[in-house]
Amino acid sequence: MKAILLAGGQGSRLRPLTLNTPKPIVPIFDRPFLRYQIELLKQVAEIDEIVLSLNYQPKRIEEVFGDGSALGVRIRYVVEPQPLGTGGAIKFAAGPKPQGPVVVFNGDVLTSVDLQAVIALHRERKAQATIVLTPVDNPAAYGLVETDDDGNVRAFLEKPSADQITCDTINAGIYVIEGETLDRIPAETPYSIERGYFPSLIAQQETFVAHTYRGYWIDIGTRDKYQQVHRDIMTGGFGAPPFLEAPGTALVSPDARIEPGAIIEGPCFIDAGVVVKAGARVGPLSVIGAHCHIGEEAEVDGAVLWPHTWVDRHAKLGALVAGRHCQFGRNVQVGGTAFLGDNSVVTDFSRL
Ligand code: GDD
Ligand code: MG
């Protein structure tokens, strides 16, 4: 069985991080995001091919995963001539005359849903499409999905307004769909699976069923959620690598150099090649990417720093997010709302 990962969006809500790094490969600790999804798909023996549906900066993503053999999977890349939207992208990636079930994943969701159970439900109900739902506090940013008592989907409303919110279950961005049903999607034209295909299944009374999942689920596509996923994994709120064995601890690479007199407070993550100088403090919920430098008496309190960032002495950083190769000068103070792109420079004594 084929799995299609929709990984072609521009990641506009994660700018400036996604200007040079497409969302599917933004780092979560020391690994590209999609690795978590690939590991989940790998657990389903039936899935023998993963198709990455790409549009934005496809080369960057291909360079990271290659043919998939390093992760023990088979990966193929399909690059759209223009952004085709979620539905157009699935049709394009599925190729001509697709038959039988295909698994589809939005390329920005992290979860431990039991995919095998979703596929089993799809077969048992002889469904044309099966969708994973998850409850959230505020469905407005997602696709709202109503079901009946037998788990049949009764309504699908993408990005509902406040007065349209009738339940708390949303589209988790994970589907099993029968290839034949893609014939309702026009070829090579932008088309939304959420606004077109799903409502059409309901209108035509096709068998369209839901698997409601109540475990961990997050869409990492906004700054808050991007940071939250790190916190959830560090604290053990979501059990996942690299904190699977030791949630709540300070995870320090053996190749990092922590000088005597530096203070490291867990949970936090310090990657290979990092130097933390004497008197510096790395506080809880901080993520220090590979080869960062934390100078004498500097303080990092809950920031996510991508690799190769330099924090000079006496700098104080709140729970900010900063891309690669940033420079924080000495004695700067940068608060937790800062969201800085690659190569940002904050000069000595600046306050942000
Ligand atoms: N190949 C390709 N081409 N991929 C695309 C395109 C496109 O034109 N447009 C979006 N994608 C990919 C994105 O990269 C992302 O992985 C996925 O499709 C979903 O797009 P988002 O832009 O992240 O959508 P969203 O988060 O606002 O809403 C979607 O996800 C929610 C769950 O996180 C919808 O599916 C909602 O219904 C759902 O609740
Ligand atoms: Mg999203």
Side-chain angles (χ1 to χ4, degrees), residues 7-8 22 25 52-65 77-80:
I25 56 166
L52 294 195
S53 160
L54 307 181
N55 182 259
Y56 178 68
Q57 300 188 354
K59 285 260 168 332
R60 303 287 314 277
I61 299 176
E62 293 192 39
E63 275 162 22
V64 170
F65 296 109
Y77 301 88
V78 174
V79 182
E80 297 149 33

Side-chain angles (χ1 to χ4, degrees), residues 243-303:
F243 282 82
L244 200 53
E245 315 294 331
T249 62
L251 207 61
V252 180
S253 162
D255 299 321
R257 183 156 58 86
I258 312 297
E259 290 195 348
I263 299 168
I264 309 294
E265 296 173 20
C268 66
F269 181 79
I270 298 183
D271 204 352
V274 169
V275 176
V276 184
K277 302 290 285 181
R281 181 177 152 267
V282 175
L285 305 177
S286 304
V287 176
I288 315 292
H291 305 286
C292 286
H293 172 102
I294 314 295
E296 284 92 353
E297 311 283 336
E299 286 187 30
V300 180
D301 241 322

Side-chain angles (χ1 to χ4, degrees), residues 13 23 108 219:
R13 289 163 291 184
K23 181 165 66 170
D108 58 357
D219 174 338

Side-chain angles (χ1 to χ4, degrees), residues 4-13 23-24 33-34 37 52-56 78-80 82-90 93 105-109 131-132 134 139 141-145 156-159 170-175 190-195 198 217-222:
I4 297 174
L5 296 191
L6 290 175
Q10 296 202 357
S12 54
R13 289 163 291 184
K23 181 165 66 170
F33 175 71
L34 271 192
Q37 283 197 347
L52 294 195
S53 160
L54 307 181
N55 182 259
Y56 178 68
V78 174
V79 182
E80 297 149 33
Q82 53 157 324
L84 290 176
T86 47
I90 294 168
F105 244 86
N106 281 355
D108 58 357
V109 298
I131 184 169
V132 177
T134 191
Y142 306 99
L144 183 83
V145 184
F156 191 114
L157 196 56
E158 185 65 14
K159 310 286 186 303
I170 60 130
N171 167 22
I174 300 161
Y175 328 116
Y191 183 93
S192 158
I193 193 161
E194 297 86 354
R195 295 177 198 273
F198 290 136
W217 178 89
I218 196 168
D219 174 338
I220 61 137
T222 61

